């Protein structure tokens, strides 16, 4: 991805910020304040994945664009595809020859070109029987360890939000607002109750060796 931070060497928490434990203590109430109203537990996810896998296998252009991705989860194979600046990761069970998890790193129309160079909003689905295996966590960590940052979408599932809080123990977490000029403004933590009801407020996880200053402006609660 052009314009993102260089590939990093080691995880860190930015100097001058509280420890990971301090961050989590400061934002603990976000578990109830953030918009958590997405239900990804539908019964048709496997059917959706089977149709997706069929389209991939029968479309030479899409199939040839996929490349192996090495992630530390035995028994699964991962494939990566990039299209129009968005990244798609597929987890495949080779014994059953089917997709069992899917993650897309979306571009956000709400942000400007400068911010678009640094941030993607992840969205993951995992079928029943493969949840709690750490699939989404492994994929998100791969992204962050590659020196790229994440921003939440307008809404999250409860499971996704729990994953973000777990990742915040190892990666810098920030609260943010997307302003009317499509720039991301950093907000103080913790924000007041109810603040995250607004659709323009988000959370950010900072990739390894990246800096908030690369893509985020300082903001104020009232501005």
């Amino acid at each position: 991805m052009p314009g993102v931070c260089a590939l990093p060497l080691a995880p860190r928490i930015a100097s001058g910020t509280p420890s990971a434990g301090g961050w989590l203590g400061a934002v603990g109430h976000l578990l109830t304040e953030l918009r958590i109203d997405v239900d990804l537990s539908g019964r048709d996810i496997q059917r959706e994945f089977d149709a997706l896998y069929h389209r991939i296998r029968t479309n030479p252009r899409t199939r040839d664009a996929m490349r192996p991705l090495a992630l530390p989860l035995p028994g699964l194979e991962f494939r990566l595809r990039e299209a129009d600046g968005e990244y798609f990761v597929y987890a495949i069970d080779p014994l059953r020859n089917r997709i069992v998890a899917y993650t897309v790193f979306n571009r956000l129309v709400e942000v400007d070109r400068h911010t678009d160079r640094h941030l993607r909003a992840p969205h993951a689905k995992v079928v029943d029987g493969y949840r709690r295996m750490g699939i989404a966590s492994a994929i998100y960590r791969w992204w962050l360890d590659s020196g790229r940052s994440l921003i939440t979408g307008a809404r999250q599932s409860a499971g996704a939000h729990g994953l973000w809080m777990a990742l915040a123990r190892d990666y810098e977490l920030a609260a943010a607002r997307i302003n009317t000029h499509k720039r991301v403004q950093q907000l103080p933590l913790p924000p007041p109750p109810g603040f995250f009801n607004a659709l323009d407020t988000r959370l950010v996880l900072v990739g390894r060796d990246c800096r908030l200053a690369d893509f985020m402006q300082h903001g104020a609660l009232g501005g």
Side-chain angles (χ1 to χ4, degrees):
M1 179 192 302
V4 298
C5 299
L7 290 177
L9 298 176
R12 65 175 178 85
I13 295 176
S15 60
T17 62
S19 65
W23 274 114
L24 295 180
V27 299
H29 74 286
L30 295 183
L31 287 168
T32 57
E33 293 298 334
L34 194 65
R35 302 168 303 279
I36 303 176
D37 54 6
V38 179
D39 181 9
L40 299 180
S41 60
R43 301 176 181 177
D44 295 330
I45 292 180
Q46 185 64 73
R47 184 181 303 174
E48 174 189 338
F49 284 178
D50 290 343
L52 173 63
Y53 200 28
H54 175 74
R55 292 197 300 271
I56 290 172
R57 288 182 296 178
T58 56
N59 186 329
R61 183 175 181 179
T62 301
R63 185 181 65 243
D64 295 344
M66 298 173 66
R67 61 182 178 87
L69 179 64
L71 294 179
L73 285 177
L76 295 177
E77 297 177 354
F78 293 85
R79 297 289 184 271
L80 172 66
R81 181 172 68 91
E82 185 271 334
D84 298 324
E86 297 190 322
Y87 291 77
F88 307 83
V89 179
Y90 309 89
I92 300 170
D93 184 333
L95 295 180
R96 297 186 177 183
N97 194 31
R98 58 176 29 175
I99 294 175
V100 297
Y102 165 79
T103 299
V104 56
F105 295 92
N106 287 307
R107 302 175 70 177
L108 289 178
V109 298
E110 301 99 312
V111 302
D112 63 8
R113 291 185 179 181
H114 172 81
T115 309
D116 178 71
R117 294 169 54 197
H118 296 272
L119 291 173
R120 290 294 181 269
H123 178 69
K125 290 184 180 181
V126 183
V127 300
D128 291 334
Y130 293 84
R131 296 175 181 176
R132 301 186 182 280
M133 291 177 57
I135 295 174
S137 177
I139 293 172
Y140 285 25
R141 287 181 182 275
W142 159 76
W143 182 269
L144 292 163
D145 288 343
S146 297
R148 296 172 283 196
S149 300
L150 296 174
I151 186 171
T152 57
R155 293 176 173 84
Q156 281 189 308
S157 69
H161 190 66
L163 173 58
W164 274 66
M165 292 298 98
L167 292 171
R169 300 182 184 277
D170 299 316
Y171 304 91
E172 185 180 1
L173 179 71
R177 168 196 284 146
I178 301 175
N179 67 20
T180 56
H181 301 290
K182 295 191 171 186
R183 298 301 301 272
V184 177
Q185 292 181 310
Q186 185 177 2
L187 301 174
L189 289 172
F195 182 78
F196 280 90
N197 291 332
L199 293 178
D200 60 354
T201 52
R202 311 293 172 94
L203 293 177
V204 170
L205 283 170
V206 183
R208 193 189 286 184
D209 260 13
C210 292
R211 303 176 306 158
L212 284 172
D214 292 335
F215 56 84
M216 189 176 285
Q217 302 173 331
H218 284 287
L221 293 177

